[in-house]
């Protein structure tokens, strides 16, 4: 079922492609003009400073393949359970992007990253609790599902 779901979800977006607006026969600037426009935009402090921060912030986020191995070997998660965690994480990543677009867009960059870093720290503590076996009565799968998925929501 999980594989069928992973195969069907991308196809569900296909009808929406026809709803996208496209300008036909629009004027196209020369390559030199396009490159100059991009360079002028990048040189703007309002662009390069937040983008540099986002880049450095994401570079310093270390992907942890050992965590997946821990879930598989120590907690005995099956491949289907790991895929379900991945699906939930992808859905919540998309919802995180939507949350930013519709609710957090008016917040300052600094406040968004302070809040998301604090929430990320909270979910990292939850991973430590799962490692030591404190799951507050939830099954390890549900605990890991909420922990991993909501961490992706924050990154979105």
């Amino acid at each position: 079922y999980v594989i069928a779901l992973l195969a069907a979800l991308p196809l569900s977006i296909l009808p929406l492609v026809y709803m996208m607006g496209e300008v036909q026969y629009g004027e196209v600037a020369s390559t030199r003009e396009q490159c100059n426009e991009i360079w002028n935009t990048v040189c703007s402090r309002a662009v390069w400073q937040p983008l540099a921060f986002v880049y450095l912030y994401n570079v310093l986020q270390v992907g942890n393949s050992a965590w997946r191995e821990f879930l598989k070997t120590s907690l005995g998660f099956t491949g289907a359970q790991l895929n379900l965690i991945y699906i939930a994480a992808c859905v919540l990543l998309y919802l995180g992007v939507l949350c930013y677009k519709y609710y957090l867009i008016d917040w300052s960059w600094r406040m968004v990253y302070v809040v998301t870093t604090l929430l990320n720290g909270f979910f990292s503590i939850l991973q430590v609790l799962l490692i030591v076996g404190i799951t507050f009565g939830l099954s390890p799968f549900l605990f890991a599902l909420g922990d991993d998925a909501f961490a992706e929501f924050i990154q979105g």
Side-chain angles (χ1 to χ4, degrees), residues 1-9 79-87:
Y1 296 114
V2 173
I3 294 173
L5 180 64
L6 286 173
L9 280 177
Q81 287 175 319
L82 291 173
N83 285 336
L84 285 173
I85 290 173
Y86 176 71
I87 291 170

Side-chain angles (χ1 to χ4, degrees), residues 64-86:
N64 195 353
S65 59
W67 177 248
R68 299 279 179 226
E69 190 62 28
F70 170 77
L71 293 177
K72 186 176 177 183
T73 57
S74 296
L75 296 179
F77 284 15
T78 65
Q81 287 175 319
L82 291 173
N83 285 336
L84 285 173
I85 290 173
Y86 176 71

Side-chain angles (χ1 to χ4, degrees), residues 28-98:
V28 178
S30 70
T31 304
R32 181 180 205 85
E33 291 172 351
Q34 290 178 22
C35 289
N36 283 335
E37 186 175 340
I38 291 170
W39 180 250
N40 290 334
T41 303
V42 170
C43 287
S44 169
R45 183 174 180 194
V47 173
W48 71 261
Q49 189 175 15
L51 287 180
F53 180 76
V54 169
Y55 176 76
L56 290 174
Y57 187 84
N58 286 317
V59 163
L60 296 175
Q61 295 291 323
V62 178
N64 195 353
S65 59
W67 177 248
R68 299 279 179 226
E69 190 62 28
F70 170 77
L71 293 177
K72 186 176 177 183
T73 57
S74 296
L75 296 179
F77 284 15
T78 65
Q81 287 175 319
L82 291 173
N83 285 336
L84 285 173
I85 290 173
Y86 176 71
I87 291 170
C90 288
V91 169
L92 282 175
L93 176 66
Y94 176 69
L95 292 177
V97 170
L98 290 179

Side-chain angles (χ1 to χ4, degrees), residues 53 100 104 106-119:
F53 180 76
Y100 176 77
L104 304 178
D106 294 328
W107 288 23
S108 71
W109 281 89
R110 192 170 290 141
M111 185 55 71
V112 168
Y113 281 101
V114 166
V115 169
T116 55
T117 301
L118 290 174
L119 288 173

